[in-house]
Amino acid sequence: MIDVSTAIRACPLIAILRGITPDETDAIGDVLIETGFRVIEVPLNSPDPFASIERMVNRYGHYALIGAGTVMSTGDVDRVKAAGGRLIVMPHSDLDIVRHAKSVGLSVAPGVATPTEAFAALAAGADALKLFPAEMITPSVVKSLRAVLPASARLVPVGGITASNIPAYRAAGANAFGIGSTLYSPRKPALAVKGSALELIAALAG
């Protein structure tokens, strides 16, 4: 099975499918995998998220990293693991959740916005740092964080990421990008999702 490092090297875009339903997962997942995405996150405030995660794990789990976002408790972590998910993404930096996720063998990306949060999350075992909300964490801030954080730290801006600002964030030192409504919104047709995915992937070369 693919790990965080391999998945991000293959494609540094994380699909955030907030609002997806289990019946949509095959069509949307197929176009994402086809266009090159290798990390897919189902936020837990989506309809029936654990069923969606389980369905996507069964279909793509051997060559994509599937997990959950908006994880708010250690109990959520356990339910994600039971569904087969292997990635925990949080909007905040609850170190108990980070440690618990690592203790049960999952990868975890807590949300951070300051150097203090970032260093604490890394010390707790975070595999990546979700820089959130990226609307407040500009490329210049990312550059400043990159200057003081360990070179091995994976910085992942999330929130307001589009094809137009990906190049500036990459130049500042971001390793990957969480893509939400720019890529997917509930009931967005799979063909339209594919078009958005291709535009975002093209921006990586910009």
Side-chain angles (χ1 to χ4, degrees):
M1 287 188 175
I2 193 169
D3 60 15
V4 172
S5 180
T6 303
I8 287 177
R9 283 199 305 270
C11 179
L13 300 177
I14 298 166
I16 302 171
L17 305 182
R18 189 177 307 278
I20 198 167
T21 57
D23 65 289
E24 291 179 272
T25 56
D26 290 359
I28 300 301
D30 284 356
V31 298
L32 292 174
I33 296 299
E34 178 188 341
T35 52
F37 278 70
R38 289 297 177 268
V39 185
I40 299 175
E41 166 194 335
V42 177
L44 293 187
N45 55 0
S46 303
D48 207 356
F50 299 104
S52 292
I53 291 168
E54 184 172 11
R55 187 161 174 165
M56 298 188 92
V57 167
N58 289 337
R59 194 171 177 90
Y60 315 112
H62 288 293
Y63 42 86
L65 185 63
I66 312 296
T70 319
V71 175
M72 304 300 292
S73 71
T74 56
D76 285 343
V77 172
D78 293 335
R79 292 188 71 187
V80 172
K81 182 178 174 64
R86 296 189 296 115
L87 174 66
I88 299 297
V89 184
M90 306 151 53
H92 61 322
S93 189
D94 185 324
L95 301 184
D96 287 339
I97 296 176
V98 173
R99 295 187 187 102
H100 184 67
K102 295 307 297 180
S103 75
V104 297
L106 303 186
S107 298
V108 60
V112 304
T114 68
T116 298
E117 291 175 336
F119 278 107
L122 290 172
D127 297 278
L129 300 175
K130 174 181 175 177
L131 304 182
F132 179 78
E135 291 92 340
M136 296 174 56
I137 304 171
T138 62
S140 61
V141 174
V142 174
K143 184 176 181 180
S144 295
L145 289 170
R146 176 52 74 202
V148 297
L149 292 172
S152 59
R154 300 181 181 96
L155 305 184
V156 186
V158 180
I161 300 298
T162 66
S164 63
N165 59 24
I166 281 175
Y169 277 105
R170 288 204 90 184
N175 300 97
F177 306 90
I179 313 292
S181 58
T182 298
L183 175 65
Y184 170 83
S185 56
R187 299 298 172 182
K188 182 175 179 178
L191 188 60
V193 172
K194 182 177 181 178
S196 298
L198 291 171
E199 182 180 2
L200 289 159
I201 287 173
L204 294 171

